[in-house]
Amino acid sequence: MRMALMQPYFFPYPGHFELISQVDLWVVFDTAQYIRRGWMNRNRIMKLGGGWQYINVPVQRADRSTLTKEMALVPGQEWKTKLVRQLEAYRELAPNFDNAAELVKSCLGVDDEARLSPLNVKLLSRVCAALEIPFEPIFLSETTADPGPCASPGERVLQIAAAMGASTYLNPAGGAHLLDKDAFATNGIRLEIQSFDPLIYETGSLSLIPNLSVIDALMWVPWEKLSNQLVK
């Protein structure tokens, strides 16, 4: 069984979906400490005139020991209205704008969640469905596989993978330095590091910025083509 363990990100970059397509088991790492100023409550899309801009979902203030599963949203719908308004700037530019905008509105129309983690997983599910990528996530907090804090982050990941019965564990290249390939092998688990080549696609008069939110790619690339690029 091929497995990945990731914290739940907000409309993440396309490489996240390539990773999803490569595994049999996707475990939501919601028992980890919440990472501030990371990618769980914000991401980026292109900005008219050049560069990029943030899209985000507001979260309530919490102390540094707060776990991902505990992070609460700020009540209200204003952030959804702002996000839709940010996308409207591309209506006359992006060839796949209508489909992408409807998908985002559908994502934002999910039942209101009080916490960030289940919201982000619902958003991932909607995007995966649109791209025909199988996605059946399991929240780590709903299992008994997490040993809690260990001597190192890599040791904790290894123990979780072993407890979940993984034969192969996949991880993005950015976190490869945390993992010990030999230690995984000793436990009978093959460690694979995902190397994602940024997607190159036409963006009209705008300059392409790689690895923005998947929303950006959804607006510019036909979905069948995008799915074929991501599903290996």
Side-chain angles (χ1 to χ4, degrees):
M1 178 184 67
R2 295 166 63 83
M3 169 190 156
L5 171 73
M6 295 290 291
Q7 295 202 39
Y9 296 137
F10 181 65
F11 284 120
Y13 83 122
H16 202 79
F17 296 90
E18 181 178 301
L19 182 63
I20 290 174
S21 76
Q22 294 176 347
V23 300
D24 306 303
L25 177 63
W26 185 269
V27 181
V28 181
F29 196 5
D30 62 340
T31 57
Q33 183 176 330
Y34 178 76
I35 300 174
R36 285 160 176 74
R37 290 184 288 277
W39 300 114
M40 275 184 279
N41 78 309
R42 65 178 183 173
N43 220 296
R44 303 177 301 159
I45 60 173
M46 279 191 288
K47 182 179 181 180
L48 295 186
W52 51 264
Q53 59 183 315
Y54 280 119
I55 55 174
N56 66 78
V57 51
V59 295
Q60 296 188 19
R61 291 184 178 275
D63 60 47
R64 293 185 178 277
S65 63
T66 301
L67 302 181
T68 296
K69 67 178 182 178
E70 299 168 337
M71 184 56 66
L73 303 179
V74 173
Q77 304 294 313
E78 292 83 0
W79 69 272
K80 297 181 180 181
T81 301
K82 179 180 178 180
L83 175 52
V84 171
R85 187 168 64 247
Q86 286 176 282
L87 298 184
E88 282 294 325
Y90 299 95
R91 178 175 293 278
E92 303 301 326
L93 298 174
N96 210 32
F97 172 83
D98 289 340
N99 288 332
E102 285 304 311
L103 174 59
V104 171
K105 290 177 182 177
S106 172
C107 289
L108 300 182
V110 300
D111 295 338
D112 283 343
E113 292 284 355
R115 299 190 182 278
L116 180 64
S117 183
L119 171 69
N120 282 351
V121 173
K122 284 185 177 181
L123 302 184
L124 286 176
S125 296
R126 295 291 181 98
V127 176
C128 282
L131 296 177
E132 299 184 346
I133 298 174
F135 182 58
E136 297 183 4
I138 294 176
F139 289 88
L140 186 59
S141 61
E142 297 177 358
T143 76
T144 59
D146 188 2
C150 294
S152 68
E155 175 62 24
R156 186 176 185 181
V157 171
L158 171 57
Q159 291 196 34
I160 292 170
M164 297 298 295
S167 58
T168 301
Y169 181 79
L170 282 75
N171 204 81
H177 64 287
L178 299 174
L179 306 176
D180 184 335
K181 186 174 183 179
D182 291 338
F184 273 80
T186 298
N187 284 268
I189 303 173
R190 175 184 173 84
L191 175 62
E192 291 186 6
I193 302 301
Q194 179 211 35
S195 180
F196 177 71
D197 295 325
L199 296 182
I200 304 299
Y201 48 90
E202 178 60 43
T203 55
S205 61
L206 302 178
S207 297
L208 174 66
I209 299 175
N211 295 332
L212 298 181
S213 166
V214 69
I215 293 176
D216 230 68
L218 289 167
M219 290 194 294
W220 296 96
V221 184
W223 291 0
E224 182 177 359
K225 180 179 179 180
L226 182 57
S227 180
N228 289 337
Q229 291 176 307
L230 296 177
V231 178
K232 306 299 184 182

